[in-house]
């Protein structure tokens, strides 16, 4: 059981046990269970309270006995019996469930709105009936007096299905392009739908006429909010007869009184994520609003934050168990979370043992298992001289470092730095002495880092002191501000006055800092005297500042030119030094290995290949077409056909030339033989 606290509100996570290191062996885990009472008391409140992959919606029946949840994959519904603390049944569905509603007091009548436009009815034994609506649905509500189901979705119409007559009724025509959510007031049964344009339309089911219109998108935008698009309505919930809470897609929650068009409170989640669920907690007058990242509880009268929770995984739905302090969430993870907050109310009747358990946990403060281990990085191991232990059983790799036994860490630290305690003791004594000195009359003490900058700030404060008295405004000092404290303590923030940027941006720093250097010397001398006498002298040091005024504006250009000239000279000296170093270095020959089957021709071929690879595909194709290795021709269909010929090696070229010469010789022989035959035939005919 994990315990967290925010604003002094204890939150017990019942679905997740106390976190243990994954690298602990089973033997160590069993030993910890024997020693640690908290680990031994880990509980699984409801058995198998999870989904195979993701849970999307979770609801509680009106009698409080059954908890139903839908999820994937495969699409299914699971019903849990709280009296047995286990799963009662599981049913698989044909499509994913967008939302569902429990019509009866128990699990005997359930309606599912699925993502493929089908509406499925289940009874106690299982599937009962299935029908289809004209457009994709996003939400629906049940009107108990008339037995009507109101469906809203990707349409401007609100479809009505009467369960008593078993037929569709005339739809309600809204002014919106799409409707996202809807709800029915439990007192006077006013029907409200939230549109994609950021408006809420209220309808009277008795007359089927629109009775009100709220522009929530305009009211949600305040001076502090930043939005990128038009806010649409993503959540809607009635509370009593007059209150209504509206959640927008940009992360604002608006609380309305139905008698007014202006919101009473606008609460921003500051994450810019759509509000997914809104619940009312009547005992403490709280509103529980949730987006995919955080659950916030805040007072509905003042808007003050009561507490908040940030689960490990994204939130899909939130369900508050009635008349108790238990909260359940459907997440983008297999396990569904259960939280218990004793401040909100007592534990439900079926798990009343939680009250006694939480009281015992409050008496015994929690201690974590990680207290026995020390997390160290690789650099820490090198400083301690324990780098050779990497890979052994004494170190357990975790993230960017290792876990090691705390006793081994203390021993190694004592061996690496045996005078650590003496240094610590000396530092504590020095701090005590400084605390006692702070009560005496003090001189101006400058920090160890950036002394000249601190002196400049002190001078500016003294010059502006008169102006501040006139304006009667106490402006904060940079030296006393905690945000800039590190700049005067950490040596990494020391201003480098020899750098090129500083010298060009501050060309008159040499003239301006002369007075400060004199003051700095005086202060350092006084500090040295104070350390010798161990007493601070009374009074203040005399101001040795001369009243000579320097004309900085006239010398500005000269100083800039002077600094640039110095920088060029320094750069020239550096280039000469690098040139001398290059002359002194001896270049060694570099050898390359030729792959098997390749012949070395010259470096020109490799240079040609590199130039060829830098060219575009179009240039390479043109070059290959000139060489004859590529032939591009048009086909009858209208497309083009490219034929490539592989380049031949020298050996293949020689072989082809020999074959060509051999063919030519054979042709010549055949021709000569044909001439002889023709001459003989002519001679025979002649004789």
């Amino acid at each position: 059981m994990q315990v967290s606290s925010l604003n002094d509100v204890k939150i017990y996570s019942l679905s997740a046990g106390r976190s243990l290191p994954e690298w602990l062996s089973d033997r160590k885990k069993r030993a910890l269970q024997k020693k640690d009472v908290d680990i031994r008391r880990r509980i699984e409140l409801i058995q198998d309270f999870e989904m195979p992959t993701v849970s999307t919606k979770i609801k509680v029946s009106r009698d409080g006995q059954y908890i139903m949840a839908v999820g994937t994959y495969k699409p299914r519904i699971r019903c849990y019996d709280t009296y047995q603390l286990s799963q009662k049944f599981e049913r698989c569905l044909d499509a994913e469930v967008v939302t569902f509603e429990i019509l009866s007091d128990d699990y005997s009548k359930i309606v599912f709105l699925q993502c493929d436009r089908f509406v499925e009815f289940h009874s106690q034994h299982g599937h009962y009936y299935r029908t289809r609506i004209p457009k994709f649905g996003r939400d629906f509500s049940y009107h108990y007096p008339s037995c009507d189901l109101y469906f809203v979705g990707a349409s401007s119409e609100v479809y009505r299905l009467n369960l008593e007559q078993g037929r569709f009724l005339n739809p309600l025509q809204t002014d919106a392009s799409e409707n996202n959510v809807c709800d029915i007031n439990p007192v006077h049964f006013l029907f409200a739908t939230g549109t994609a344009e950021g408006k809420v339309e209220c309808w009277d089911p008795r007359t089927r006429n629109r009775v009100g219109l709220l522009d929530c998108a305009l009211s949600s935008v305040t001076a502090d909010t930043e939005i990128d698009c038009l806010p649409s309505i993503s959540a809607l919930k009635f509370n009593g007869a007059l209150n209504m809470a509206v959640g927008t897609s940009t992360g604002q929650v608006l609380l309305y009184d139905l008698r007014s068009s202006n919101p009473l409170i606008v609460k921003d989640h500051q994450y810019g994520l759509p509000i997914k669920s809104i619940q009312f907690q009547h005992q403490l007058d709280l509103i529980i609003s949730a987006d995919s990242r955080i659950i916030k509880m805040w007072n509905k009268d003042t808007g003050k934050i009561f507490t908040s929770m940030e689960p490990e995984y994204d939130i899909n739905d939130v369900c508050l168990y009635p008349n108790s302090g238990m909260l359940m969430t459907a997440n983008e993870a297999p396990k569904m979370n259960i939280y218990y907050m004793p401040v909100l109310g007592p534990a439900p009747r079926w798990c009343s043992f939680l009250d006694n358990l939480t009281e015992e946990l409050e008496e015994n403060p929690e201690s974590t298992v990680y207290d026995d281990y020390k997390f160290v990085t690789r650099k820490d191991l090198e400083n301690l001289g324990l780098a050779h232990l990497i890979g052994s059983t004494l170190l357990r790799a975790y993230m960017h470092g290792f876990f090691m036994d705390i006793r081994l860490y203390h021993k190694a630290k004592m061996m690496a730095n045996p005078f650590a305690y003496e240094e610590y003791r000396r530092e504590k004594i020095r701090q005590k002495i400084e605390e006692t000195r702070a009560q005496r009359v003090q001189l101006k003490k400058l920090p160890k880092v950036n002394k000249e900058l601190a002196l400049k700030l002190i001078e500016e404060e003294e010059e502006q002191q008169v102006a501040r008295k006139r304006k009667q405004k106490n402006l904060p000092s940079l030296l006393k501000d905690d945000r800039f404290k590190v700049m005067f303590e950490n040596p990494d923030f020391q201003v480098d006055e020899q750098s090129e940027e500083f010298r060009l941006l501050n060309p008159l720093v040499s003239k301006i800092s002369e007075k400060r250097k004199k003051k700095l010397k005086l202060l350092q001398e006084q500090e040295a005297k104070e350390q010798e006498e161990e007493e601070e002298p009374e009074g203040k040091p005399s101001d040795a500042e001369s009243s000579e005024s320097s004309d900085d504006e006239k010398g500005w250009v000269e100083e800039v030119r002077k600094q640039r000239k110095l920088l060029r000279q320094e750069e020239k000296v550096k280039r000469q030094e690098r040139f001398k170093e290059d002359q002194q270095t001896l270049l060694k020959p570099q050898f390359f290995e030729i792959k098997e089957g390749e012949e070395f021709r010259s470096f020109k071929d490799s240079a040609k290949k590199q130039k060829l690879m830098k060219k575009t595909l179009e240039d390479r194709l043109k070059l290959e077409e000139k060489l004859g290795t590529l032939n591009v021709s048009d086909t009858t269909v209208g497309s083009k056909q490219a034929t490539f010929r592989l380049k031949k090696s020298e050996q293949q070229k020689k072989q082809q030339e020999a074959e060509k010469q051999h063919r030519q010789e054979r042709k010549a022989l055949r021709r000569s033989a044909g001439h002889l035959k023709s001459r003989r035939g002519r001679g025979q005919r002649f004789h």
Side-chain angles (χ1 to χ4, degrees):
M1 182 186 297
Q2 290 181 348
V3 185
S4 60
S5 178
L6 183 66
N7 292 344
D8 296 331
V9 178
K10 288 287 184 69
I11 302 172
Y12 297 89
S13 179
L14 307 177
S15 56
R18 186 177 163 192
S19 61
L20 292 175
E22 296 180 359
W23 38 264
L24 282 181
S25 62
D26 295 337
R27 182 179 178 183
K28 288 187 177 180
K29 287 181 181 179
R30 287 195 297 270
L32 286 172
Q33 286 179 355
K34 292 179 182 178
K35 295 179 183 178
D36 202 324
V37 179
D38 294 339
I39 297 177
R40 191 165 62 248
R41 287 182 177 178
R42 283 190 303 168
I43 59 172
E44 189 177 7
L45 190 62
I46 299 176
Q47 188 178 2
D48 297 332
F49 194 67
E50 58 185 14
M51 283 287 169
T53 308
V54 173
S55 54
T56 55
K57 290 286 182 180
I58 183 168
K59 292 182 184 292
V60 180
S61 61
R62 285 201 295 273
D63 59 3
Q65 183 178 353
Y66 302 101
I67 300 173
M68 297 186 187
V70 293
T72 56
Y73 179 80
K74 300 179 179 179
R76 67 190 67 206
I77 177 174
R78 286 182 175 177
C79 179
Y80 298 92
D81 191 347
T82 56
Y83 291 173
Q84 302 297 326
L85 298 178
S86 61
Q87 181 178 314
K88 186 172 182 65
F89 65 83
E90 178 185 18
R91 297 172 187 169
C92 289
L93 306 171
D94 295 336
E96 293 185 11
V97 177
V98 178
T99 184
F100 72 101
E101 188 71 37
I102 305 170
L103 302 183
S104 60
D105 292 341
D106 54 3
Y107 66 93
S108 57
K109 294 179 183 179
I110 315 172
V111 184
F112 299 97
L113 176 61
Q114 298 177 348
C115 63
D116 56 353
R117 294 194 295 159
F118 274 100
V119 181
E120 194 167 316
F121 298 87
H122 281 222
S123 62
Q124 195 167 3
H125 62 81
H127 177 270
Y128 179 74
Y129 183 70
R130 198 175 188 217
T131 187
R132 202 171 190 180
I133 57 177
K135 298 287 184 179
F136 289 98
R138 296 177 182 174
D139 197 7
F140 73 93
S141 296
Y142 182 61
H143 187 249
Y144 283 93
S146 62
C147 299
D148 288 345
L149 284 173
Y150 288 79
F151 295 94
V152 298
S155 173
S156 61
E157 296 179 337
V158 179
Y159 304 108
R160 296 189 301 149
L161 176 62
N162 188 273
L163 301 184
E164 185 180 7
Q165 302 176 19
R167 66 185 181 92
F168 282 97
L169 305 178
N170 292 331
L172 305 178
Q173 183 64 44
T174 64
D175 295 338
S177 60
E178 294 178 352
N179 295 284
N180 295 331
V181 290
C182 64
D183 193 22
I184 293 178
N185 193 291
V187 179
H188 48 70
F189 302 105
L190 180 70
F191 173 75
T193 174
T195 67
E197 287 80 11
K199 297 180 181 180
V200 175
E201 296 189 12
C202 298
W203 294 72
D204 189 354
R206 298 170 298 180
T207 60
R208 298 186 297 278
N209 294 326
R210 193 176 72 184
V211 295
L213 180 66
L214 289 174
D215 192 351
C216 301
L218 185 61
S219 302
S220 65
V221 179
T222 60
D224 299 333
T225 57
E226 295 181 2
I227 58 173
D228 299 329
C229 59
L230 181 67
S232 61
I233 308 301
S234 59
L236 188 65
K237 187 71 174 178
F238 279 105
N239 178 36
L242 298 176
N243 290 334
M244 178 181 66
V246 180
T248 65
S249 60
T250 53
Q252 289 86 26
V253 181
L254 297 88
L255 182 63
Y256 280 94
D257 190 316
L258 295 181
R259 295 167 293 185
S260 174
S261 60
N262 296 323
L264 302 175
I265 292 176
V266 179
K267 192 69 178 177
D268 196 347
H269 272 219
Q270 304 293 337
Y271 282 106
L273 301 173
I275 303 298
K276 294 201 170 185
S277 175
I278 299 176
Q279 302 288 335
F280 287 90
Q281 210 277 342
H282 301 286
Q283 283 78 8
L284 299 177
D285 292 334
L286 299 177
I287 295 178
I288 305 172
S289 56
D291 55 23
S292 60
R293 187 177 296 180
I294 191 171
I295 303 172
K296 286 192 176 184
M297 302 182 189
W298 45 282
N299 190 283
K300 69 176 184 179
D301 298 325
T302 61
K304 185 179 179 181
I305 285 290
F306 181 72
T307 188
S308 63
M309 293 179 290
E310 292 190 48
E312 185 178 359
Y313 301 99
D314 290 347
I315 303 166
N316 289 327
D317 192 21
V318 177
C319 177
L320 181 65
Y321 196 91
N323 302 321
S324 73
M326 182 173 288
L327 192 74
M328 293 170 286
T329 63
N331 317 298
E332 288 287 329
K335 185 174 286 189
M336 293 178 284
N337 292 335
I338 303 177
Y339 300 97
Y340 174 55
M341 286 164 282
V343 181
L344 298 183
R349 185 176 56 183
W350 48 272
C351 58
S352 57
F353 58 88
L354 288 177
D355 291 328
N356 299 330
L357 188 61
T358 53
E359 288 176 4
E360 292 178 5
L361 288 176
E362 288 179 0
E363 292 175 0
N364 301 323
E366 184 179 4
S367 59
T368 59
V369 179
Y370 292 100
D371 292 342
D372 299 332
Y373 296 89
K374 175 69 177 177
F375 181 79
V376 291
T377 60
R378 191 179 292 270
K379 187 176 180 181
D380 296 337
L381 291 175
E382 291 175 357
N383 295 335
L384 295 173
L386 300 178
H388 62 282
L389 295 180
I390 297 175
S392 64
T393 56
L394 297 175
L395 296 177
R396 298 284 183 175
Y398 184 76
M399 295 178 68
H400 63 284
F402 305 89
F403 273 110
M404 65 183 299
D405 195 286
I406 192 69
R407 295 169 294 180
L408 176 61
Y409 174 77
H410 286 317
K411 288 181 181 178
K413 193 173 181 182
M414 286 297 295
M415 293 176 66
N417 189 6
F419 302 104
Y421 176 72
E422 292 296 331
E423 293 176 359
Y424 171 77
R425 183 170 173 273
R426 209 175 292 119
E427 182 67 21
K428 282 292 182 183
I429 293 171
R430 190 186 62 80
Q431 290 178 4
K432 290 288 184 182
I433 293 172
E434 288 182 357
E435 288 177 2
T436 56
R437 284 179 177 177
Q439 300 173 1
R440 306 176 187 173
V441 179
Q442 292 185 358
L443 295 173
K444 293 179 183 177
K445 281 196 175 182
L446 297 177
K448 298 179 181 178
V449 183
N450 290 326
K451 291 184 178 181
E452 293 187 4
L453 178 61
L455 189 60
K456 177 185 174 183
L457 294 174
I458 292 171
E459 288 179 358
E460 290 178 355
E461 287 180 3
E462 291 176 353
E463 291 173 359
Q464 297 175 2
Q465 191 172 6
V466 180
R468 289 180 186 175
K469 286 181 179 179
R470 290 175 183 174
K471 295 180 180 179
Q472 295 181 355
K473 288 184 179 180
N474 294 326
L475 298 177
S477 174
L478 292 179
L479 294 172
K480 298 178 182 178
D481 198 337
D482 294 337
R483 296 174 295 175
F484 304 98
K485 186 170 64 174
V486 185
M487 190 169 64
F488 301 102
E489 294 179 355
N490 194 345
D492 296 336
F493 292 94
Q494 178 68 45
V495 178
D496 186 9
E497 296 184 0
Q498 300 300 324
S499 63
E500 181 180 351
E501 293 83 2
F502 183 85
R503 289 164 67 180
L504 289 176
L505 293 174
N506 301 275
L508 298 177
V509 70
S510 58
K511 289 188 177 181
I512 297 172
S513 60
E514 286 179 359
K515 303 174 185 177
R516 296 198 193 101
K517 285 180 180 178
K518 291 179 181 179
K519 276 192 175 183
L520 197 60
K521 287 180 180 179
L522 289 173
L523 291 173
Q524 287 177 353
E525 289 175 1
Q526 290 174 359
E527 285 181 2
K529 290 179 181 179
E530 181 189 1
Q531 290 178 359
E532 291 175 359
E533 299 174 0
E534 294 185 356
E535 290 183 0
E536 192 170 60
E538 296 181 358
K540 295 183 179 180
S542 61
D543 190 2
E545 182 182 358
S546 63
S547 61
E548 297 178 358
S549 61
S550 60
D551 193 358
D552 296 336
E553 294 180 358
K554 293 181 179 179
W556 177 268
V557 179
E558 296 178 0
E559 287 294 332
V560 171
R561 289 175 181 171
K562 185 178 179 181
Q563 293 294 334
R564 288 188 180 278
K565 189 175 180 181
L566 289 173
L567 288 172
R568 284 196 294 269
Q569 290 177 358
E570 291 175 1
E571 186 66 26
K572 187 177 180 181
V573 172
K574 289 180 182 178
R575 284 200 301 268
Q576 290 176 357
E577 291 177 357
R578 285 198 296 267
F579 182 71
K580 289 179 181 178
E581 290 178 0
D582 294 340
Q583 285 182 342
Q584 291 176 1
T585 54
L586 297 174
L587 296 177
K588 296 180 180 180
Q590 200 171 6
F591 299 96
F592 298 93
E593 186 178 356
I594 301 174
K595 293 182 180 179
E596 295 181 1
E598 292 186 0
E599 297 179 359
F600 176 75
R601 299 189 188 100
S602 65
F603 289 104
K604 294 182 180 179
D605 294 339
S606 60
K608 287 180 181 178
K609 285 182 181 179
Q610 290 179 359
K611 288 182 180 179
L612 188 62
M613 292 304 294
K614 290 180 180 179
K615 291 184 178 181
T616 60
L617 178 62
E618 184 181 1
D619 296 338
R620 280 184 278 167
L621 290 176
K622 287 180 181 178
L623 184 62
E624 290 178 359
E625 195 171 356
K626 287 180 182 178
L627 296 174
T629 57
L630 173 66
N631 183 21
V632 181
S633 61
D634 296 332
T635 60
T636 57
V637 186
S639 59
K640 289 195 175 184
Q641 180 179 358
T643 307
F644 293 89
R645 294 179 185 174
L646 299 176
K647 291 184 179 179
K648 297 172 183 178
S649 61
E650 295 292 335
Q651 189 175 359
Q652 290 177 347
K653 286 181 181 179
K654 290 178 182 179
Q655 188 176 357
Q656 285 183 357
E657 289 176 359
E659 290 177 358
K660 188 176 180 180
Q661 189 176 0
H662 181 65
R663 285 196 297 269
Q664 289 176 356
E665 290 176 357
R666 292 186 65 182
K667 280 184 181 180
L669 289 173
R670 283 198 297 271
R671 286 176 185 172
S672 60
H675 287 305
L676 289 173
K677 286 182 181 180
S678 62
R679 287 176 182 174
R680 288 174 184 172
R682 290 173 185 172
Q684 289 176 1
R685 285 196 301 273
F686 180 76
H687 289 296

